[in-house]
Amino acid sequence: MWGDEAVTHQLAERDPSRIWDTVQQVDLVHALYYAVMHVIFDLFGAGLLSLRLPSVLAMAAAAGGVGLLGLRLAGPRAGTPAGLVFALLPQVQKYAQEGRSYAMVCALIAWATCALVANVERGGRWRWAAYGLTLLVACLLHEFAVLALVAHGVTLFVSRPPKGVLRAWSVTAAGVATGLLPLTVVSAGQSEQVSWIGGPVRPYYLLVAVVVGVACARAPLRSGGPVSLAALAVPMLVLPGALLLTASLVKPLFVDRYVLFSNIGVALLLGAWLDHVRRLPRRSPVVYVAVAAALAALVPPSLELRTPRSRSNDATAVATAVREAGRPGDGLLHLSGKQRILTAAHPDDTRLLVDLALARDPVASNTLAGVEFAAPVIAARMKEFDRIVVVRAVGERASGDPREEA
C-alpha cells in the first residue's frame, strides 16, 4: 500500500460525518470516492482486497466499454482487439491495481462514450439523461473527467450530426457543468493540495500514446455509422492531456493519472489498426514482428508494476520498519508531519510508541495527518525519552518550520 492508498484506507474507515468534516479541509475532490469506499468497507471489511478489487472490476468494465465502442464504430474484429489492447496498456494495468478513483472514472467515461455514440444514432430524453448522469458521476469522482466532455464535443463537431443531436448534447453538457460547478468552486480553496506538482508528472507515456495513436489514425480505418472511430478516438486521446499541459503553463496540474481515460482513445485506434492490417491482401512479415515485439516489450513493465518499486512510496514497508525499530514506550517523530499518513494505515504498528508531536490525532481533528504541538512543547517532550524513532522522507525538509527545527 502506498501513500495515496493509505489515505483512501484511512478515510474510508471513518464515519460518514467524519469524512464530510475532513473533506471540508482537504481532499474534497475525492469525497464521493471515499463515501463509496466507506460503504464497501462496511460490507466487506477494511483490507487490501476490498481496497483494490473495486478498481480491478472498474477497469474490467472499462475494457468491456472500449470493446463495445470498437464494435459499434468499426465492427467486432476491431472491437475485440481494442478491448484486449486496453487491458494490456501499462498505465491501465497500474491503476487497475490501485485503491484510488481513477479506474472508476475510466469505466464511467468509457460507458458514457458508448451512450454518446448510441444517442447520435437514436437519441431520446432519457438516453441523454443517462449519458449526462454517468459523466457527472465521473466528474464528481475526479474533476478533470470533465475534459472527456470537451473531447466529446469536438467529436460531435467533426462528425456533423443532425442539429437536434448537437442541441441535446449542449443541454446535457450544460447540466454536467452546472452539477460540477459547486465542487469546482469549493475545491479551488484547497489548491494547496496540488502544490507538490512542480511540472508535468510523467507526460512521456501520453506523448508516446499520442504519436502511436495519430499514426494509426492515418491508416484507412473501417468505420460505420454517423461517428467515425478516428473522430471519436483522436480527440479522446489528444485533447484532455493537451488541455491539462496547456493549463500547466499557468499552474502545474498535469499528472498522468488525471487523464488516464485517454487510453480509451489509443486502444480504439490500435484495435482498428490491427483490423486494418488483418484485411490487407498481402501482409508484410514486418507487421507480425512488430506486434510480437510490442507484446514482448510489455512483459518487463507489466512485471515491474506488480512490485512495490512501481509506487512512489511504500507505506506498508514504512510501518513495518517503525514496528521493528521501536520498543514499547519509545518516542515517535514524523518529519514532516504529513509522513504520519504513511504509518496511519497500519496503526497497530505504532500503537505502543508515543507520537511526540501529535496534539490531536487525524480522526479527532478531521485531518489526514493530525494537529501537532507547538515547537517548544515538542522540544520538551523529546527530552523525556531515551530512544526516539524518526520517520523522514529522504531529501525532504520543510524549511523554516519551527516544529521541525525543534
Side-chain angles (χ1 to χ4, degrees):
M1 192 190 304
W2 77 289
D4 280 10
E5 287 185 301
V7 172
T8 300
H9 193 277
Q10 181 189 151
L11 281 180
E13 283 197 287
R14 298 185 187 182
D15 294 333
S17 60
R18 289 285 191 186
I19 295 175
W20 179 247
D21 290 340
T22 302
V23 297
Q24 301 306 302
Q25 303 181 58
V26 65
D27 253 5
L28 181 64
V29 291
H30 296 299
L32 178 59
Y33 176 66
Y34 295 144
V36 171
M37 292 306 298
H38 173 80
V39 173
I40 291 171
F41 277 17
D42 263 1
L43 293 173
F44 304 107
L48 277 177
L49 182 63
S50 50
L51 176 69
R52 289 177 172 160
L53 188 58
S55 294
V56 178
L57 298 176
M59 207 61 96
V66 171
L68 180 59
L69 275 171
L71 183 150
R72 298 197 69 146
L73 297 173
R77 293 184 182 273
T80 301
L84 293 172
V85 165
F86 179 82
L88 289 173
L89 294 173
Q91 205 180 32
V92 170
Q93 292 187 52
K94 177 174 182 176
Y95 294 106
Q97 52 168 298
E98 182 170 305
R100 294 297 278 175
S101 64
Y102 306 107
M104 292 184 184
V105 171
C106 207
L108 289 166
I109 290 176
W111 284 94
T113 308
C114 290
L116 176 72
V117 172
N119 289 348
V120 171
E121 296 175 354
R122 191 182 66 177
R125 184 176 298 175
W126 292 108
R127 288 173 176 265
W128 282 108
Y131 162 77
L133 182 60
T134 304
L135 256 183
L136 178 58
V137 174
C139 293
L140 293 176
L141 283 170
H142 198 279
E143 286 177 319
F144 290 151
V146 75
L147 297 173
L149 187 65
V150 179
H152 287 170
V154 172
T155 294
L156 292 180
F157 178 79
V158 171
S159 303
R160 300 185 182 279
K163 289 184 178 178
V165 172
L166 284 173
R167 189 182 307 113
W169 178 84
S170 299
V171 171
T172 306
V176 173
T178 302
L180 181 61
L181 186 61
L183 174 63
T184 304
V185 171
V186 178
S187 65
Q190 298 179 356
S191 59
E192 182 63 24
Q193 277 185 261
V194 292
S195 61
W196 63 271
I197 307 176
V201 178
R202 296 182 295 272
Y204 307 109
Y205 174 90
L206 177 66
L207 296 177
V208 171
V210 167
V211 171
V212 171
V214 172
C216 290
R218 294 185 64 82
L221 305 178
R222 176 189 292 177
S223 194
V227 177
S228 72
L229 184 139
L232 185 138
V234 172
M236 181 66 74
L237 170 60
V238 175
L239 271 179
L243 291 171
L244 209 53
L245 283 169
T246 303
S248 294
L249 296 175
V250 180
K251 179 179 177 59
L253 288 172
F254 184 93
V255 182
D256 61 337
R257 58 181 176 266
Y258 294 172
V259 289
L260 178 65
F261 51 86
S262 295
N263 287 284
I264 295 170
V266 74
L268 286 171
L269 291 165
L270 284 169
W273 180 80
L274 289 170
D275 179 46
H276 165 68
V277 170
R278 181 193 61 80
R279 290 184 284 109
L280 291 176
R282 296 179 62 185
R283 292 187 286 275
S284 169
V286 174
V287 173
Y288 295 107
V289 173
V291 172
L295 290 173
L298 285 174
V299 174
S302 295
L303 295 175
E304 175 72 14
L305 286 170
R306 286 156 176 81
T307 68
R309 292 189 302 275
S310 67
R311 299 299 185 263
S312 57
N313 52 50
D314 186 344
T316 303
V318 170
T320 300
V322 170
R323 183 185 69 241
E324 292 175 349
R327 302 170 185 168
D330 283 351
L332 174 65
L333 280 177
H334 297 85
L335 296 176
S336 65
K338 66 183 180 182
Q339 304 304 329
R340 193 172 287 107
I341 292 171
L342 301 180
T343 57
H346 302 272
D348 285 346
D349 291 335
T350 59
R351 183 169 48 86
L352 299 178
L353 306 182
V354 180
D355 195 326
L356 302 180
L358 189 63
R360 296 179 67 204
D361 67 68
V363 176
S365 61
N366 297 316
T367 60
L368 297 182
V371 176
E372 297 191 331
F373 289 113
V377 178
I378 295 173
R381 285 166 63 88
M382 287 172 64
K383 293 175 183 178
E384 298 173 5
F385 289 79
D386 296 323
R387 299 180 81 254
I388 299 174
V389 179
V390 181
V391 180
R392 178 179 177 183
V394 175
E396 179 179 315
R397 188 180 182 197
S399 179
D401 187 324
R403 289 183 290 266
E404 294 199 27
E405 293 297 332

PDB file of all heavy atoms in Angstrom, residues 126-156:
ATOM      1  N   TRP A 126     -34.395  10.401 -22.142  1.00  0.00           N
ATOM      2  CA  TRP A 126     -33.864   9.553 -21.073  1.00  0.00           C
ATOM      3  C   TRP A 126     -32.472   9.041 -21.405  1.00  0.00           C
ATOM      4  O   TRP A 126     -31.630   8.858 -20.515  1.00  0.00           O
ATOM      5  CB  TRP A 126     -34.819   8.389 -20.797  1.00  0.00           C
ATOM      6  CG  TRP A 126     -36.101   8.851 -20.196  1.00  0.00           C
ATOM      7  CD1 TRP A 126     -37.334   8.901 -20.780  1.00  0.00           C
ATOM      8  CD2 TRP A 126     -36.279   9.384 -18.874  1.00  0.00           C
ATOM      9  NE1 TRP A 126     -38.270   9.424 -19.930  1.00  0.00           N
ATOM     10  CE2 TRP A 126     -37.653   9.724 -18.743  1.00  0.00           C
ATOM     11  CE3 TRP A 126     -35.424   9.604 -17.789  1.00  0.00           C
ATOM     12  CZ2 TRP A 126     -38.171  10.265 -17.568  1.00  0.00           C
ATOM     13  CZ3 TRP A 126     -35.944  10.147 -16.624  1.00  0.00           C
ATOM     14  CH2 TRP A 126     -37.298  10.466 -16.520  1.00  0.00           C
ATOM     15  N   ARG A 127     -32.213   8.809 -22.688  1.00  0.00           N
ATOM     16  CA  ARG A 127     -30.877   8.362 -23.092  1.00  0.00           C
ATOM     17  C   ARG A 127     -29.841   9.458 -22.836  1.00  0.00           C
ATOM     18  O   ARG A 127     -28.738   9.188 -22.361  1.00  0.00           O
ATOM     19  CB  ARG A 127     -30.867   7.982 -24.577  1.00  0.00           C
ATOM     20  CG  ARG A 127     -31.610   6.687 -24.881  1.00  0.00           C
ATOM     21  CD  ARG A 127     -31.706   6.484 -26.391  1.00  0.00           C
ATOM     22  NE  ARG A 127     -32.323   5.222 -26.719  1.00  0.00           N
ATOM     23  CZ  ARG A 127     -31.664   4.102 -26.987  1.00  0.00           C
ATOM     24  NH1 ARG A 127     -30.343   4.108 -26.965  1.00  0.00           N
ATOM     25  NH2 ARG A 127     -32.292   2.986 -27.288  1.00  0.00           N
ATOM     26  N   TRP A 128     -30.187  10.684 -23.159  1.00  0.00           N
ATOM     27  CA  TRP A 128     -29.266  11.788 -22.905  1.00  0.00           C
ATOM     28  C   TRP A 128     -29.097  12.019 -21.412  1.00  0.00           C
ATOM     29  O   TRP A 128     -28.006  12.372 -20.946  1.00  0.00           O
ATOM     30  CB  TRP A 128     -29.749  13.059 -23.595  1.00  0.00           C
ATOM     31  CG  TRP A 128     -29.461  13.072 -25.064  1.00  0.00           C
ATOM     32  CD1 TRP A 128     -30.340  12.932 -26.085  1.00  0.00           C
ATOM     33  CD2 TRP A 128     -28.161  13.212 -25.670  1.00  0.00           C
ATOM     34  NE1 TRP A 128     -29.685  12.979 -27.294  1.00  0.00           N
ATOM     35  CE2 TRP A 128     -28.351  13.152 -27.077  1.00  0.00           C
ATOM     36  CE3 TRP A 128     -26.871  13.371 -25.185  1.00  0.00           C
ATOM     37  CZ2 TRP A 128     -27.295  13.257 -27.982  1.00  0.00           C
ATOM     38  CZ3 TRP A 128     -25.815  13.480 -26.078  1.00  0.00           C
ATOM     39  CH2 TRP A 128     -26.033  13.412 -27.452  1.00  0.00           C
ATOM     40  N   ALA A 129     -30.177  11.811 -20.663  1.00  0.00           N
ATOM     41  CA  ALA A 129     -30.077  11.953 -19.201  1.00  0.00           C
ATOM     42  C   ALA A 129     -29.118  10.909 -18.628  1.00  0.00           C
ATOM     43  O   ALA A 129     -28.309  11.207 -17.732  1.00  0.00           O
ATOM     44  CB  ALA A 129     -31.455  11.821 -18.560  1.00  0.00           C
ATOM     45  N   ALA A 130     -29.180   9.676 -19.156  1.00  0.00           N
ATOM     46  CA  ALA A 130     -28.266   8.623 -18.686  1.00  0.00           C
ATOM     47  C   ALA A 130     -26.821   8.975 -19.022  1.00  0.00           C
ATOM     48  O   ALA A 130     -25.913   8.788 -18.199  1.00  0.00           O
ATOM     49  CB  ALA A 130     -28.650   7.288 -19.323  1.00  0.00           C
ATOM     50  N   TYR A 131     -26.606   9.505 -20.228  1.00  0.00           N
ATOM     51  CA  TYR A 131     -25.263   9.937 -20.623  1.00  0.00           C
ATOM     52  C   TYR A 131     -24.743  11.029 -19.689  1.00  0.00           C
ATOM     53  O   TYR A 131     -23.611  10.964 -19.177  1.00  0.00           O
ATOM     54  CB  TYR A 131     -25.303  10.443 -22.069  1.00  0.00           C
ATOM     55  CG  TYR A 131     -24.120  11.295 -22.479  1.00  0.00           C
ATOM     56  CD1 TYR A 131     -22.891  10.715 -22.777  1.00  0.00           C
ATOM     57  CD2 TYR A 131     -24.235  12.683 -22.579  1.00  0.00           C
ATOM     58  CE1 TYR A 131     -21.803  11.502 -23.161  1.00  0.00           C
ATOM     59  CE2 TYR A 131     -23.161  13.470 -22.966  1.00  0.00           C
ATOM     60  CZ  TYR A 131     -21.951  12.877 -23.248  1.00  0.00           C
ATOM     61  OH  TYR A 131     -20.872  13.657 -23.620  1.00  0.00           O
ATOM     62  N   GLY A 132     -25.577  12.039 -19.449  1.00  0.00           N
ATOM     63  CA  GLY A 132     -25.160  13.159 -18.603  1.00  0.00           C
ATOM     64  C   GLY A 132     -24.909  12.737 -17.169  1.00  0.00           C
ATOM     65  O   GLY A 132     -23.931  13.175 -16.543  1.00  0.00           O
ATOM     66  N   LEU A 133     -25.764  11.866 -16.635  1.00  0.00           N
ATOM     67  CA  LEU A 133     -25.604  11.427 -15.251  1.00  0.00           C
ATOM     68  C   LEU A 133     -24.320  10.612 -15.088  1.00  0.00           C
ATOM     69  O   LEU A 133     -23.589  10.780 -14.099  1.00  0.00           O
ATOM     70  CB  LEU A 133     -26.811  10.591 -14.828  1.00  0.00           C
ATOM     71  CG  LEU A 133     -26.810  10.089 -13.375  1.00  0.00           C
ATOM     72  CD1 LEU A 133     -26.780  11.262 -12.397  1.00  0.00           C
ATOM     73  CD2 LEU A 133     -28.021   9.208 -13.111  1.00  0.00           C
ATOM     74  N   THR A 134     -24.030   9.744 -16.071  1.00  0.00           N
ATOM     75  CA  THR A 134     -22.804   8.943 -15.999  1.00  0.00           C
ATOM     76  C   THR A 134     -21.570   9.842 -16.013  1.00  0.00           C
ATOM     77  O   THR A 134     -20.634   9.645 -15.223  1.00  0.00           O
ATOM     78  CB  THR A 134     -22.747   7.961 -17.188  1.00  0.00           C
ATOM     79  OG1 THR A 134     -23.929   7.163 -17.203  1.00  0.00           O
ATOM     80  CG2 THR A 134     -21.540   7.040 -17.075  1.00  0.00           C
ATOM     81  N   LEU A 135     -21.565  10.835 -16.882  1.00  0.00           N
ATOM     82  CA  LEU A 135     -20.427  11.750 -16.942  1.00  0.00           C
ATOM     83  C   LEU A 135     -20.323  12.594 -15.682  1.00  0.00           C
ATOM     84  O   LEU A 135     -19.222  12.877 -15.200  1.00  0.00           O
ATOM     85  CB  LEU A 135     -20.545  12.664 -18.166  1.00  0.00           C
ATOM     86  CG  LEU A 135     -19.649  12.328 -19.356  1.00  0.00           C
ATOM     87  CD1 LEU A 135     -19.804  13.354 -20.458  1.00  0.00           C
ATOM     88  CD2 LEU A 135     -18.186  12.235 -18.943  1.00  0.00           C
ATOM     89  N   LEU A 136     -21.458  13.013 -15.137  1.00  0.00           N
ATOM     90  CA  LEU A 136     -21.429  13.825 -13.927  1.00  0.00           C
ATOM     91  C   LEU A 136     -20.835  13.045 -12.760  1.00  0.00           C
ATOM     92  O   LEU A 136     -20.027  13.588 -11.991  1.00  0.00           O
ATOM     93  CB  LEU A 136     -22.837  14.310 -13.578  1.00  0.00           C
ATOM     94  CG  LEU A 136     -22.963  15.152 -12.299  1.00  0.00           C
ATOM     95  CD1 LEU A 136     -22.085  16.403 -12.374  1.00  0.00           C
ATOM     96  CD2 LEU A 136     -24.415  15.533 -12.035  1.00  0.00           C
ATOM     97  N   VAL A 137     -21.219  11.780 -12.623  1.00  0.00           N
ATOM     98  CA  VAL A 137     -20.656  10.962 -11.541  1.00  0.00           C
ATOM     99  C   VAL A 137     -19.147  10.829 -11.729  1.00  0.00           C
ATOM    100  O   VAL A 137     -18.373  10.910 -10.759  1.00  0.00           O
ATOM    101  CB  VAL A 137     -21.331   9.573 -11.496  1.00  0.00           C
ATOM    102  CG1 VAL A 137     -20.640   8.674 -10.476  1.00  0.00           C
ATOM    103  CG2 VAL A 137     -22.803   9.718 -11.149  1.00  0.00           C
ATOM    104  N   ALA A 138     -18.706  10.645 -12.988  1.00  0.00           N
ATOM    105  CA  ALA A 138     -17.268  10.572 -13.259  1.00  0.00           C
ATOM    106  C   ALA A 138     -16.574  11.861 -12.832  1.00  0.00           C
ATOM    107  O   ALA A 138     -15.497  11.833 -12.227  1.00  0.00           O
ATOM    108  CB  ALA A 138     -17.023  10.302 -14.740  1.00  0.00           C
ATOM    109  N   CYS A 139     -17.187  12.999 -13.126  1.00  0.00           N
ATOM    110  CA  CYS A 139     -16.603  14.296 -12.765  1.00  0.00           C
ATOM    111  C   CYS A 139     -16.587  14.509 -11.259  1.00  0.00           C
ATOM    112  O   CYS A 139     -15.657  15.122 -10.721  1.00  0.00           O
ATOM    113  CB  CYS A 139     -17.381  15.429 -13.440  1.00  0.00           C
ATOM    114  SG  CYS A 139     -17.227  15.479 -15.241  1.00  0.00           S
ATOM    115  N   LEU A 140     -17.605  14.009 -10.564  1.00  0.00           N
ATOM    116  CA  LEU A 140     -17.645  14.145  -9.108  1.00  0.00           C
ATOM    117  C   LEU A 140     -16.616  13.236  -8.443  1.00  0.00           C
ATOM    118  O   LEU A 140     -16.155  13.512  -7.335  1.00  0.00           O
ATOM    119  CB  LEU A 140     -19.049  13.840  -8.587  1.00  0.00           C
ATOM    120  CG  LEU A 140     -20.135  14.847  -8.996  1.00  0.00           C
ATOM    121  CD1 LEU A 140     -21.500  14.391  -8.500  1.00  0.00           C
ATOM    122  CD2 LEU A 140     -19.825  16.249  -8.474  1.00  0.00           C
ATOM    123  N   LEU A 141     -16.251  12.146  -9.121  1.00  0.00           N
ATOM    124  CA  LEU A 141     -15.181  11.291  -8.613  1.00  0.00           C
ATOM    125  C   LEU A 141     -13.821  11.938  -8.823  1.00  0.00           C
ATOM    126  O   LEU A 141     -12.918  11.776  -8.017  1.00  0.00           O
ATOM    127  CB  LEU A 141     -15.211   9.924  -9.301  1.00  0.00           C
ATOM    128  CG  LEU A 141     -16.282   8.949  -8.811  1.00  0.00           C
ATOM    129  CD1 LEU A 141     -16.365   7.749  -9.731  1.00  0.00           C
ATOM    130  CD2 LEU A 141     -16.012   8.495  -7.383  1.00  0.00           C
ATOM    131  N   HIS A 142     -13.675  12.678  -9.950  1.00  0.00           N
ATOM    132  CA  HIS A 142     -12.452  13.444 -10.203  1.00  0.00           C
ATOM    133  C   HIS A 142     -12.780  14.545 -11.203  1.00  0.00           C
ATOM    134  O   HIS A 142     -13.258  14.275 -12.306  1.00  0.00           O
ATOM    135  CB  HIS A 142     -11.331  12.565 -10.737  1.00  0.00           C
ATOM    136  CG  HIS A 142      -9.986  13.192 -10.598  1.00  0.00           C
ATOM    137  ND1 HIS A 142      -9.512  14.123 -11.489  1.00  0.00           N
ATOM    138  CD2 HIS A 142      -9.020  13.057  -9.654  1.00  0.00           C
ATOM    139  CE1 HIS A 142      -8.305  14.527 -11.114  1.00  0.00           C
ATOM    140  NE2 HIS A 142      -7.982  13.893  -9.990  1.00  0.00           N
ATOM    141  N   GLU A 143     -12.497  15.775 -10.805  1.00  0.00           N
ATOM    142  CA  GLU A 143     -12.926  16.942 -11.594  1.00  0.00           C
ATOM    143  C   GLU A 143     -12.435  16.925 -13.034  1.00  0.00           C
ATOM    144  O   GLU A 143     -13.139  17.361 -13.947  1.00  0.00           O
ATOM    145  CB  GLU A 143     -12.418  18.232 -10.925  1.00  0.00           C
ATOM    146  CG  GLU A 143     -13.168  18.608  -9.673  1.00  0.00           C
ATOM    147  CD  GLU A 143     -12.573  19.839  -9.017  1.00  0.00           C
ATOM    148  OE1 GLU A 143     -11.330  19.943  -8.963  1.00  0.00           O
ATOM    149  OE2 GLU A 143     -13.351  20.694  -8.579  1.00  0.00           O
ATOM    150  N   PHE A 144     -11.221  16.425 -13.268  1.00  0.00           N
ATOM    151  CA  PHE A 144     -10.647  16.509 -14.609  1.00  0.00           C
ATOM    152  C   PHE A 144     -11.309  15.558 -15.594  1.00  0.00           C
ATOM    153  O   PHE A 144     -10.977  15.569 -16.781  1.00  0.00           O
ATOM    154  CB  PHE A 144      -9.137  16.271 -14.553  1.00  0.00           C
ATOM    155  CG  PHE A 144      -8.384  17.395 -13.895  1.00  0.00           C
ATOM    156  CD1 PHE A 144      -7.200  17.152 -13.219  1.00  0.00           C
ATOM    157  CD2 PHE A 144      -8.876  18.695 -13.920  1.00  0.00           C
ATOM    158  CE1 PHE A 144      -6.506  18.191 -12.606  1.00  0.00           C
ATOM    159  CE2 PHE A 144      -8.198  19.738 -13.302  1.00  0.00           C
ATOM    160  CZ  PHE A 144      -7.008  19.490 -12.644  1.00  0.00           C
ATOM    161  N   ALA A 145     -12.255  14.738 -15.121  1.00  0.00           N
ATOM    162  CA  ALA A 145     -13.045  13.930 -16.049  1.00  0.00           C
ATOM    163  C   ALA A 145     -13.864  14.810 -16.982  1.00  0.00           C
ATOM    164  O   ALA A 145     -14.291  14.367 -18.051  1.00  0.00           O
ATOM    165  CB  ALA A 145     -13.965  12.988 -15.267  1.00  0.00           C
ATOM    166  N   VAL A 146     -14.056  16.073 -16.606  1.00  0.00           N
ATOM    167  CA  VAL A 146     -14.808  16.994 -17.466  1.00  0.00           C
ATOM    168  C   VAL A 146     -14.084  17.211 -18.796  1.00  0.00           C
ATOM    169  O   VAL A 146     -14.711  17.617 -19.790  1.00  0.00           O
ATOM    170  CB  VAL A 146     -15.037  18.339 -16.730  1.00  0.00           C
ATOM    171  CG1 VAL A 146     -13.755  19.177 -16.700  1.00  0.00           C
ATOM    172  CG2 VAL A 146     -16.177  19.121 -17.371  1.00  0.00           C
ATOM    173  N   LEU A 147     -12.792  16.925 -18.853  1.00  0.00           N
ATOM    174  CA  LEU A 147     -12.053  17.066 -20.111  1.00  0.00           C
ATOM    175  C   LEU A 147     -12.547  16.065 -21.148  1.00  0.00           C
ATOM    176  O   LEU A 147     -12.429  16.317 -22.356  1.00  0.00           O
ATOM    177  CB  LEU A 147     -10.558  16.878 -19.858  1.00  0.00           C
ATOM    178  CG  LEU A 147      -9.907  17.917 -18.935  1.00  0.00           C
ATOM    179  CD1 LEU A 147      -8.470  17.521 -18.616  1.00  0.00           C
ATOM    180  CD2 LEU A 147      -9.956  19.305 -19.563  1.00  0.00           C
ATOM    181  N   ALA A 148     -13.113  14.928 -20.707  1.00  0.00           N
ATOM    182  CA  ALA A 148     -13.709  13.977 -21.647  1.00  0.00           C
ATOM    183  C   ALA A 148     -14.934  14.596 -22.309  1.00  0.00           C
ATOM    184  O   ALA A 148     -15.231  14.312 -23.481  1.00  0.00           O
ATOM    185  CB  ALA A 148     -14.085  12.685 -20.925  1.00  0.00           C
ATOM    186  N   LEU A 149     -15.646  15.438 -21.575  1.00  0.00           N
ATOM    187  CA  LEU A 149     -16.812  16.124 -22.137  1.00  0.00           C
ATOM    188  C   LEU A 149     -16.385  17.039 -23.280  1.00  0.00           C
ATOM    189  O   LEU A 149     -17.068  17.135 -24.314  1.00  0.00           O
ATOM    190  CB  LEU A 149     -17.512  16.926 -21.037  1.00  0.00           C
ATOM    191  CG  LEU A 149     -18.848  17.579 -21.380  1.00  0.00           C
ATOM    192  CD1 LEU A 149     -19.899  16.520 -21.675  1.00  0.00           C
ATOM    193  CD2 LEU A 149     -19.322  18.471 -20.234  1.00  0.00           C
ATOM    194  N   VAL A 150     -15.249  17.712 -23.115  1.00  0.00           N
ATOM    195  CA  VAL A 150     -14.708  18.558 -24.182  1.00  0.00           C
ATOM    196  C   VAL A 150     -14.380  17.716 -25.410  1.00  0.00           C
ATOM    197  O   VAL A 150     -14.688  18.091 -26.551  1.00  0.00           O
ATOM    198  CB  VAL A 150     -13.454  19.310 -23.691  1.00  0.00           C
ATOM    199  CG1 VAL A 150     -12.870  20.169 -24.795  1.00  0.00           C
ATOM    200  CG2 VAL A 150     -13.779  20.161 -22.464  1.00  0.00           C
ATOM    201  N   ALA A 151     -13.754  16.552 -25.182  1.00  0.00           N
ATOM    202  CA  ALA A 151     -13.423  15.663 -26.293  1.00  0.00           C
ATOM    203  C   ALA A 151     -14.681  15.201 -27.020  1.00  0.00           C
ATOM    204  O   ALA A 151     -14.709  15.133 -28.255  1.00  0.00           O
ATOM    205  CB  ALA A 151     -12.625  14.461 -25.776  1.00  0.00           C
ATOM    206  N   HIS A 152     -15.734  14.908 -26.282  1.00  0.00           N
ATOM    207  CA  HIS A 152     -16.996  14.507 -26.901  1.00  0.00           C
ATOM    208  C   HIS A 152     -17.560  15.636 -27.764  1.00  0.00           C
ATOM    209  O   HIS A 152     -18.093  15.388 -28.851  1.00  0.00           O
ATOM    210  CB  HIS A 152     -18.014  14.136 -25.820  1.00  0.00           C
ATOM    211  CG  HIS A 152     -17.721  12.834 -25.147  1.00  0.00           C
ATOM    212  ND1 HIS A 152     -18.387  12.406 -24.012  1.00  0.00           N
ATOM    213  CD2 HIS A 152     -16.822  11.855 -25.441  1.00  0.00           C
ATOM    214  CE1 HIS A 152     -17.915  11.233 -23.635  1.00  0.00           C
ATOM    215  NE2 HIS A 152     -16.965  10.877 -24.483  1.00  0.00           N
ATOM    216  N   GLY A 153     -17.451  16.863 -27.267  1.00  0.00           N
ATOM    217  CA  GLY A 153     -17.941  17.993 -28.056  1.00  0.00           C
ATOM    218  C   GLY A 153     -17.207  18.135 -29.376  1.00  0.00           C
ATOM    219  O   GLY A 153     -17.823  18.392 -30.421  1.00  0.00           O
ATOM    220  N   VAL A 154     -15.892  17.959 -29.358  1.00  0.00           N
ATOM    221  CA  VAL A 154     -15.103  18.038 -30.591  1.00  0.00           C
ATOM    222  C   VAL A 154     -15.493  16.900 -31.536  1.00  0.00           C
ATOM    223  O   VAL A 154     -15.597  17.097 -32.758  1.00  0.00           O
ATOM    224  CB  VAL A 154     -13.596  17.998 -30.266  1.00  0.00           C
ATOM    225  CG1 VAL A 154     -12.768  17.879 -31.537  1.00  0.00           C
ATOM    226  CG2 VAL A 154     -13.204  19.245 -29.485  1.00  0.00           C
ATOM    227  N   THR A 155     -15.719  15.713 -30.998  1.00  0.00           N
ATOM    228  CA  THR A 155     -16.143  14.580 -31.826  1.00  0.00           C
ATOM    229  C   THR A 155     -17.437  14.898 -32.564  1.00  0.00           C
ATOM    230  O   THR A 155     -17.562  14.645 -33.769  1.00  0.00           O
ATOM    231  CB  THR A 155     -16.332  13.324 -30.948  1.00  0.00           C
ATOM    232  OG1 THR A 155     -15.067  12.923 -30.421  1.00  0.00           O
ATOM    233  CG2 THR A 155     -16.928  12.180 -31.743  1.00  0.00           C
ATOM    234  N   LEU A 156     -18.405  15.460 -31.857  1.00  0.00           N
ATOM    235  CA  LEU A 156     -19.676  15.798 -32.498  1.00  0.00           C
ATOM    236  C   LEU A 156     -19.499  16.916 -33.522  1.00  0.00           C
ATOM    237  O   LEU A 156     -20.113  16.893 -34.591  1.00  0.00           O
ATOM    238  CB  LEU A 156     -20.705  16.210 -31.439  1.00  0.00           C
ATOM    239  CG  LEU A 156     -21.185  15.098 -30.499  1.00  0.00           C
ATOM    240  CD1 LEU A 156     -22.196  15.645 -29.503  1.00  0.00           C
ATOM    241  CD2 LEU A 156     -21.793  13.943 -31.285  1.00  0.00           C
TER     242      LEU A 156
END
